[in-house]
């Protein structure tokens, strides 16, 4: 048996496609990439504004191809220093959807941009904050010669990045399970997105008396291909 997910999108004029967290976290210079569905293929307005009403991005999608699934994608720059939250609104003549972002300013640790595919195969970008650490692991395969001596057959080098997610509210932490369950995940390293395998031992979902939780994600990448002797 195989797991499958059936959802009917044509019952709504516009909606996001499997973006589970109600609130996402973003820093002052980041990137937004979210998939959405729309019954209307023309004149889609994308608007990003802060909690004071300052417009940070405002653009229109016109002359789009004849299908109903789209991806909003743009860089976020020049967020005012007083901004605490952002609201993304995607609207057509038939309706609109919104997604809220918490502006996180961490002077100690920079944001880490993660791109993953959701259960429908659409790319989503999110930013994680917290301490980043890495380690290199070496896997050495050997063989025995006819004289009984051991020799190296191949060496595989992997790098594991560990990121503390930073403190996430209940509405934000849904994105963690989406990253872990994604079949294709990339992490931005030195201005380049690198394919990786995300893992987490457990996800804290509730702590009595606390309204935020912190988790630890690991991302494993191939630093070098196998080196054969």
């Amino acid at each position: 048996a195989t797991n499958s997910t059936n959802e009917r999108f044509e019952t709504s004029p516009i909606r996001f496609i499997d973006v589970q967290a109600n609130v996402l976290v973003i820093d002052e210079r980041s990137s937004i990439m979210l998939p959405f569905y729309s019954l209307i293929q023309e004149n889609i307005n994308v608007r990003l504004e802060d909690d004071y009403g300052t417009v940070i991005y405002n653009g229109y999608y016109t002359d789009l191809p004849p299908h109903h699934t789209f991806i909003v994608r743009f860089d976020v720059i020049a967020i005012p220093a007083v901004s605490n939250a952002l609201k993304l609104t995607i609207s057509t003549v038939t309706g609109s959807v919104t997604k809220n972002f918490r502006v996180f300013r961490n002077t100690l640790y920079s944001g880490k941009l993660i791109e993953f595919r959701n259960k429908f195969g659409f790319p989503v970008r999110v930013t994680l904050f917290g301490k980043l650490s890495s380690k290199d692991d070496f896997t050495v395969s050997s063989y025995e010669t006819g004289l009984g001596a051991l020799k190296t057959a191949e060496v595989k080098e992997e790098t594991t990045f560990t990121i503390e997610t930073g403190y996430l509210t209940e509405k934000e932490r849904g994105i963690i399970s989406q990253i872990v369950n994604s079949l294709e995940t990339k992490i931005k390293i030195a201005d380049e997105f690198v394919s990786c395998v995300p893992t987490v031992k457990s996800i804290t979902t509730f702590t009595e008396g606390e309204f935020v939780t912190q988790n630890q994600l690991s991302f494993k990448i191939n630093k070098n291909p196998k080196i054969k002797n």
Side-chain angles (χ1 to χ4, degrees), residues 74-90:
F74 60 90
D75 293 328
V76 179
I77 58 176
I79 297 178
V82 295
S83 302
N84 298 307
L86 304 177
K87 182 174 72 172
L88 174 70
T89 303
I90 304 175

Side-chain angles (χ1 to χ4, degrees), residues 21-53:
N22 295 324
V23 179
L24 299 173
V25 185
I26 199 168
D27 64 1
E28 295 173 286
R29 300 184 65 89
S30 191
S31 177
I32 288 178
M33 180 187 291
L34 296 175
F36 67 97
Y37 171 93
S38 174
L39 285 174
I40 305 298
Q41 290 92 6
E42 296 181 356
N43 299 326
I44 297 175
N45 177 235
V46 177
R47 181 182 179 92
L48 184 70
E49 59 184 355
D50 69 1
D51 44 344
Y52 290 93

Side-chain angles (χ1 to χ4, degrees), residues 195-207:
S195 295
C196 60
V197 177
T199 59
V200 63
K201 291 183 178 180
S202 61
I203 298 178
T204 302
T205 57
F206 173 77
T207 302

Side-chain angles (χ1 to χ4, degrees), residues 178-210:
Q178 278 199 275
I179 293 174
V180 174
N181 285 292
S182 175
L183 297 180
E184 183 178 348
T185 306
K186 297 178 181 180
I187 181 172
K188 192 173 185 180
I189 301 172
D191 296 325
E192 181 180 355
F193 281 97
V194 181
S195 295
C196 60
V197 177
T199 59
V200 63
K201 291 183 178 180
S202 61
I203 298 178
T204 302
T205 57
F206 173 77
T207 302
E208 187 175 11
E210 297 183 9

Side-chain angles (χ1 to χ4, degrees), residues 8-170:
R8 295 182 62 88
F9 286 87
E10 67 271 20
T11 57
S12 302
I14 185 170
R15 62 184 288 192
F16 288 108
I17 302 175
D18 192 40
V19 184
Q20 293 180 9
N22 295 324
V23 179
L24 299 173
V25 185
I26 199 168
D27 64 1
E28 295 173 286
R29 300 184 65 89
S30 191
S31 177
I32 288 178
M33 180 187 291
L34 296 175
F36 67 97
Y37 171 93
S38 174
L39 285 174
I40 305 298
Q41 290 92 6
E42 296 181 356
N43 299 326
I44 297 175
N45 177 235
V46 177
R47 181 182 179 92
L48 184 70
E49 59 184 355
D50 69 1
D51 44 344
Y52 290 93
T54 302
V55 177
I56 297 168
Y57 179 87
N58 188 45
Y60 285 88
Y61 287 33
T62 58
D63 299 325
L64 295 169
H67 54 66
H68 298 287
T69 56
F70 307 97
I71 298 174
V72 57
R73 178 188 297 133
F74 60 90
D75 293 328
V76 179
I77 58 176
I79 297 178
V82 295
S83 302
N84 298 307
L86 304 177
K87 182 174 72 172
L88 174 70
T89 303
I90 304 175
S91 59
T92 67
V93 295
T94 59
S96 65
V97 289
T98 61
K99 182 66 64 174
N100 294 314
F101 295 82
R102 176 167 61 101
V103 179
F104 193 86
R105 294 182 174 88
N106 191 331
T107 58
L108 186 59
Y109 306 121
S110 61
K112 288 80 181 176
L113 197 57
I114 308 296
E115 181 178 317
F116 68 93
R117 298 271 175 174
N118 65 17
K119 63 185 177 184
F120 294 105
F122 289 101
V124 179
R125 282 186 182 175
V126 296
T127 305
L128 297 179
F129 296 86
K131 184 168 60 178
L132 171 68
S133 60
S134 67
K135 66 175 183 178
D136 290 342
D137 296 312
F138 296 88
T139 302
V140 180
S141 300
S142 61
Y143 65 94
E144 185 175 342
T145 68
L147 298 177
L150 286 177
K151 287 199 171 185
T152 300
E154 63 180 16
V155 179
K156 183 179 180 182
E157 183 178 4
E158 293 179 329
T159 297
T160 300
F161 293 94
T162 301
I163 301 175
E164 295 177 0
T165 63
Y167 287 104
L168 301 177
T169 66
E170 181 180 356

